[in-house]
Amino acid sequence: MELLKFELYKIFKQKSIWITFIFMLGMSYLSLAYPYSSAVEKDMYQDWEGSITDEDIQEAKIEYASLIEKEKQQVDDEKDALTDQETMQLWMYQKLVLSEVVMEGNEQRIQELRKEITAAAEMEMAMREEISMNQFSHQTGPTQTVAFVEFGAFLVLGVMLILGLSPIYSKEYSSKMDHYLFSSKKGRKPLAKAKIVAALIYTCLVVLSWEAFNLVLNFILHGNEGWGMPIQFYTLYLNPAYAESPYAFTMLEYHFIQLGIHLLAGCSFALLIVWISSLCHNALITFFISASIYIAPELLGMAESLQTLLTFSYISTVRVQILFTDFKAIDLFGYPVLYPIVACLVMIIAGFLCILATLHNIKNREIGT
């Protein structure tokens, strides 16, 4: 326990991680800052909240088409774009129209799946039959909360882990502290275990901290309405990312799952950094190697042949969204295993292997080498 406390103290005493964390939360949230008045928006949604009828959808289609045409005309005439209120209306009408588009597309897909005789088709059909989009309400708070993981938290977590954990072994090697630690009664394996547990605790605290920031700020700015809405309604700046998703999750259910996968991937990446640090004498080298592994999949993302493999990389799994946008499964002995489950298994196995590799490296490491 004393070793663990000491390792946590060494991590958290780094002033750079506190400064970086505050700075990155501010910068990442600015990129998602909602540009319009939530109070005005809530009032606008009140007339449309509740059960969605065919009449609602038809009226929304007319209003949506009118605003799209007006926006196009404004651009052609080199005039200012839509007013703030008109833009909010455009987004609201789009979501109402989206409910019909999603359900029609969903029904069409179910009919296609009925013709297929595979386990994957049966699984996807059963999932899609659970989707319902017959209720509507204001949902900006949940949308912004969910979006923060995809567009902000993945970067916050990555930088915080790389910055905070890169020196966990490397600094001791460079300062020659390994001579003392590896020759003491509490050296080697107990120390390695303390560092591993400290890295995991640090990861959990980073995730819990940004999640608290995310929830509280969005609650203050946008309220708590809309958590019961299906994820298919999620639309960020006219981008309906989950419109084709077969998962019948509410925003609240999805965010809990999203957070769990994000944390698991973060812990797995933290264990990788600890292992790399146990191999490197210089914390800067650990920093750049870890950063390269984390960022590389984003740079390779345009390669079609690598798409499946890159889906299960650290950065893709931490961002989560790509795992749930449509039906994706890997056939395992004739049984389809969904991508989110595969991603979790990959992260667990990778983390476990990093623990074994770290313990093996420390056990067999010569002092001063």
Side-chain angles (χ1 to χ4, degrees):
M1 185 59 72
E2 291 301 319
L3 277 176
L4 176 58
K5 289 179 180 178
F6 182 62
E7 291 301 326
L8 287 171
Y9 169 74
K10 286 196 299 182
I11 293 173
F12 285 104
K13 78 171 183 178
Q14 303 174 80
K15 292 180 181 179
S16 57
I17 67 172
W18 296 99
I19 297 170
T20 302
F21 185 64
I22 294 170
F23 175 77
M24 292 203 67
L25 280 182
M27 292 301 295
S28 59
Y29 197 81
L30 281 176
S31 67
L32 284 172
Y34 199 66
Y36 306 116
S37 168
S38 288
V40 173
E41 185 181 53
K42 287 179 184 179
D43 290 340
M44 188 181 299
Y45 271 73
Q46 282 183 353
D47 295 333
W48 296 85
E49 288 183 338
S51 298
I52 300 175
T53 65
D54 291 339
E55 290 76 14
D56 291 333
I57 293 174
Q58 293 309 312
E59 185 178 347
K61 282 183 179 179
I62 295 170
E63 297 292 344
Y64 181 72
S66 175
L67 287 170
I68 288 290
E69 182 61 32
K70 182 176 180 179
E71 184 179 44
K72 181 181 176 182
Q73 187 64 44
Q74 295 282 76
V75 172
D76 291 343
D77 294 343
E78 297 184 352
K79 296 180 180 179
D80 292 336
L82 301 177
T83 65
D84 289 354
Q85 184 165 344
E86 288 172 331
T87 301
M88 285 187 282
Q89 288 175 329
L90 177 67
W91 293 0
M92 182 184 68
Y93 293 138
Q94 185 211 28
K95 292 174 186 177
L96 284 161
V97 174
L98 184 64
S99 67
E100 182 183 64
V101 173
V102 168
M103 292 310 296
E104 288 179 351
N106 196 54
E107 184 58 35
Q108 182 180 347
R109 179 58 181 160
I110 288 173
Q111 296 307 317
E112 293 172 358
L113 292 168
R114 292 188 194 281
K115 301 174 185 178
E116 300 180 25
I117 310 175
T118 64
E122 290 181 5
M123 177 182 284
E124 183 180 352
M125 186 167 60
M127 293 168 66
R128 289 189 176 279
E129 286 174 345
E130 297 295 319
I131 296 174
S132 174
M133 298 185 69
N134 57 7
Q135 294 291 320
F136 189 71
S137 72
H138 181 249
Q139 59 206 260
T140 301
T143 296
Q144 290 291 99
T145 303
V146 167
F148 186 73
V149 180
E150 166 73 6
F151 297 101
F154 85 96
L155 189 59
V156 174
L157 182 61
V159 171
M160 289 298 292
L161 293 184
I162 294 168
L163 190 65
L165 299 179
S166 290
I168 200 164
Y169 265 115
S170 302
K171 193 171 182 179
E172 289 168 357
Y173 296 153
S174 61
S175 63
K176 306 300 181 183
M177 279 295 292
D178 59 319
H179 287 270
Y180 168 73
L181 293 171
F182 289 169
S183 60
S184 69
K185 291 181 179 180
K186 290 189 177 181
R188 304 282 178 174
K189 193 172 182 179
L191 178 62
K193 288 182 177 179
K195 289 181 181 293
I196 288 169
V197 174
L200 295 176
I201 292 174
Y202 171 70
T203 304
C204 291
L205 290 174
V206 170
V207 171
L208 289 174
S209 297
W210 72 246
E211 171 66 1
F213 170 85
N214 188 20
L215 285 176
V216 171
L217 196 58
N218 276 304
F219 175 76
I220 293 171
L221 294 176
H222 308 295
N224 203 37
E225 304 92 347
W227 281 108
M229 297 287 285
I231 60 169
Q232 285 76 15
F233 269 119
Y234 169 101
T235 304
L236 188 70
Y237 307 131
L238 296 179
N239 175 30
Y242 299 98
E244 298 181 10
S245 174
Y247 295 90
F249 295 142
T250 64
M251 292 279 199
L252 183 62
E253 291 168 340
Y254 176 66
H255 185 57
F256 274 120
I257 294 168
Q258 179 190 43
L259 195 61
I261 295 175
H262 176 88
L263 177 58
L264 177 62
C267 287
S268 185
F269 184 56
L271 294 171
L272 175 74
I273 298 172
V274 173
W275 173 53
I276 295 171
S277 184
S278 74
L279 297 171
C280 299
H281 281 268
N282 192 309
L284 200 58
I285 295 175
T286 302
F287 181 94
F288 282 115
I289 293 175
S290 302
S292 298
I293 293 172
Y294 194 70
I295 296 170
E298 286 290 291
L299 304 178
L300 298 171
M302 291 183 290
E304 286 291 330
S305 59
L306 297 175
Q307 284 300 310
T308 300
L309 183 62
L310 295 178
T311 300
F312 306 115
S313 64
Y314 290 108
I315 193 168
S316 293
T317 307
V318 161
R319 296 181 81 165
V320 185
Q321 187 184 85
I322 193 173
L323 302 173
F324 291 92
T325 51
D326 52 16
F327 183 86
K328 294 176 183 175
I330 291 178
D331 188 270
L332 189 63
F333 305 113
Y335 184 80
V337 182
L338 295 170
Y339 267 29
I341 296 174
V342 175
C344 290
L345 291 174
V346 169
M347 291 297 109
I348 291 170
I349 293 170
F352 182 68
L353 291 176
C354 286
I355 290 174
L356 293 180
T358 301
L359 294 175
H360 180 269
N361 179 53
I362 296 305
K363 179 182 177 182
N364 296 284
R365 190 179 185 94
E366 296 292 332
I367 299 175
T369 64

